[in-house]
Amino acid sequence: MSRALELYRSLPRYLTTRTVSGRLPSLAGAAATTTAPLRLRDRPTPSRPGPDWVTIRPRLSGICGSDLATVTGRSSFYFASLVSMPFVPGHEIVADTQTDVTLSNGTELSAGSRVVVDPVLGCAARGLPACTGCAGGHTSRCDRVTSGHVSPGLQTGFCADTGGGWSGALVAHRSQLYPVPADLPDERAVLVEPLACAVHTALRAAPADGDRVLVIGAGAVGLFTLLALRAYTRAGTVTVVAKHRRQVELARLFGADEVLPPASAVGGVRRGTRALRLDPEVGPPYLLGGVDVAIDCAGSASSLSTALRTTRAGGRVVLSGVPTGSVDLTPLWFRELELVGAYASSAGTAAHPAVRLDAHSDDRPDNQVNGHAGGRPRERSDFDRALELAASAPLDGILSATYPLDRWRDALDHALSAGRLGAVKVAFDLMTP
Ligand SMILES: [Zn+2]
Ligand SMILES: [Zn+2]
């Protein structure tokens, strides 16, 4: 048995209640978690779905924006078919292995090794031959996340069979595990999964040398994307849109050339790019001209709208945060923009030699190897790069608070108000009884 925070009500039913009640748009802060369909209970430790699975015990497990969207009923009905109930949330995990395990790349780990988890439950974990996405190393594009001998679930933390990070124990497939170097503290290791998503976003954004980039949102997603842009692309001027004072300081520390409050985003980009600003009679202003690439790291209708309205003709808009709300796509059409999604992270082909398509050199710059079209196989995993970033970036204090599981309401409330409270990442501490 192990303690676990379980999401127990079917998402469609929960979301329908929310919608019918008419309170959907106003949910925020403490009010949101009082009705969250979560309960803390002792559950049997999930059984291993196959021989290549291992039981792991989380040390720390972070709270992601997608978790908050799920527990507050803000996520799309689209997700309902991609999860299985009940599930234990938590996919930002640093954990100890409970038995010896040989990873997919041949690395042997003894019991008690610290690992981080790539949560995507793709073909390898499901015991299936690789789909096109997995075969090319683009595991986040797996077509089979509802198939195989594991219940539907796009990731660990959304699947009834695997358990999740907000618990004392879960199971993971050996292809999901990355060893944590001895000198990387848990407080940084727990950031590796969101850092991997940020690396993925930066590579999907694929700015050309010197491109001007706008990052909208300076929570964990935006700040980590900024780090990844600086580390793995040759982006030129990077402007960050940040709401809160601590976010402004961190954006500067992480390499932003310019930080703008949301209300000045359009005006600031106009000044920086000498674009022409138009103010329609109804609706927000927009630019003719603007940045080469805009990355929406907030996932709100207004942040996506800002991205679409400040990107130059022929430029690229990247969706990183879980999108919520609908938006006027006229600028996408009129400015002939590319709209690019960035979901989770890619395991690459090196981690899974069996599915490697061809000999492939990884020594070219990332923005060439990982062009946004994404047709070519990727070799190194986003997790490998994220482990580098976790060790090298100025991340002290970024894990802002930890809570034991039985204080889950406080933890979620803190995470929901993180920006305002000067916090970046909030996590559960599974080591304190
Ligand atoms: Zn996440
Ligand atoms: Zn697949």
Side-chain angles (χ1 to χ4, degrees):
M1 300 290 275
S2 69
R3 291 235 103 179
L5 198 51
E6 183 183 81
L7 192 96
Y8 60 90
R9 199 181 299 158
S10 89
L11 284 181
R13 218 181 315 154
Y14 172 52
L15 294 174
T16 307
T17 322
R18 280 271 169 244
T19 312
V20 169
S21 74
R23 287 174 297 162
L24 194 58
S26 61
L27 278 176
T33 55
T34 50
T35 51
L38 283 167
R39 64 186 170 206
L40 187 60
R41 55 175 292 228
D42 290 314
R43 318 185 343 147
T45 299
S47 50
R48 296 183 305 132
D52 289 338
W53 290 73
V54 59
T55 302
I56 61 174
R57 293 197 174 277
R59 300 168 65 87
L60 292 174
S61 184
I63 299 171
C64 170
S66 68
D67 298 322
L68 295 173
T70 302
V71 302
T72 59
R74 281 181 294 121
S75 57
S76 162
F77 288 106
Y78 185 97
F79 280 116
S81 301
L82 298 171
V83 306
S84 47
M85 305 291 301
F87 64 80
V88 177
H91 58 272
E92 301 177 356
I93 304 166
V94 52
D96 292 321
T97 56
Q98 295 303 289
T99 49
D100 296 352
V101 58
T102 304
L103 305 186
S104 300
N105 65 3
T107 305
E108 293 184 5
L109 296 183
S110 52
S113 298
R114 274 192 316 151
V115 289
V116 288
V117 180
D118 176 352
V120 172
L121 288 169
C123 289
R126 293 174 174 281
L128 298 168
C131 68
T132 310
C134 289
H138 302 286
T139 42
S140 59
R141 297 184 193 169
C142 181
D143 290 332
R144 312 232 164 103
V145 293
T146 59
S147 319
H149 63 267
V150 181
S151 293
L154 65 168
Q155 296 189 352
T156 298
F158 298 92
C159 172
D161 294 351
T162 59
W166 299 358
S167 74
L170 69 151
V171 292
H173 188 264
R174 64 196 186 104
S175 64
Q176 295 183 277
L177 302 180
Y178 290 80
V180 177
D183 55 359
L184 190 70
D186 288 345
E187 290 71 20
R188 283 175 177 248
V190 74
L191 306 176
V192 169
E193 195 278 340
L195 283 167
C197 298
V199 167
H200 189 66
T201 297
L203 299 180
R204 293 280 293 151
D209 279 17
D211 265 1
R212 192 177 269 270
V213 180
L214 179 68
V215 174
I216 303 170
V221 176
L223 289 170
F224 292 177
T225 298
L226 171 61
L227 281 176
L229 282 167
R230 285 304 185 212
Y232 296 112
T233 77
R234 293 172 185 161
T237 301
V238 178
T239 302
V240 173
V241 177
K243 255 188 204 163
H244 305 285
R245 192 176 54 82
R246 179 76 182 132
Q247 295 178 337
V248 173
E249 293 165 6
L250 287 169
R252 294 219 170 92
L253 176 68
F254 287 4
D257 297 292
E258 184 185 28
V259 186
L260 300 169
S264 313
V266 175
V269 172
R270 186 201 63 76
R271 278 192 303 279
T273 59
R274 297 182 184 173
L276 178 68
R277 171 177 168 144
L278 297 178
D279 285 88
E281 258 179 75
V282 177
Y286 63 92
L287 303 179
L288 299 181
V291 295
D292 300 298
V293 180
I295 308 176
D296 175 13
C297 294
S300 69
S302 75
S303 58
L304 178 54
S305 174
T306 301
L308 292 166
R309 286 164 186 260
T310 53
T311 303
R312 67 162 169 84
R316 187 174 306 132
V317 171
V318 183
L319 274 181
S320 178
V322 180
T324 52
S326 59
V327 85
D328 181 357
L329 291 178
T330 306
L332 180 81
W333 164 76
F334 178 61
R335 299 279 78 198
E336 299 194 339
L337 304 176
E338 290 175 49
L339 186 59
V340 169
Y343 159 68
S345 64
S346 295
T349 49
H352 302 273
V355 300
R356 198 160 162 178
L357 291 182
D358 50 33
H360 171 71
S361 157
D362 201 26
D363 56 7
R364 284 170 293 172
D366 287 328
N367 56 2
Q368 291 173 36
V369 176
N370 297 287
H372 59 277
R376 273 172 294 189
R378 271 195 200 176
E379 178 141 329
R380 287 182 78 205
S381 74
D382 296 329
F383 261 75
D384 289 330
R385 293 183 172 92
L387 279 157
E388 291 171 356
L389 266 186
S392 63
L395 292 167
D396 289 340
I398 293 301
L399 177 62
S400 316
T402 60
Y403 291 85
L405 272 185
D406 58 9
R407 289 186 60 203
W408 62 271
R409 287 185 197 281
D410 293 337
L412 295 177
D413 288 341
H414 196 166
L416 277 163
S417 307
R420 189 169 53 75
L421 297 174
V424 179
K425 180 57 71 181
V426 177
F428 287 108
D429 175 359
L430 290 314
M431 304 290 277
T432 1

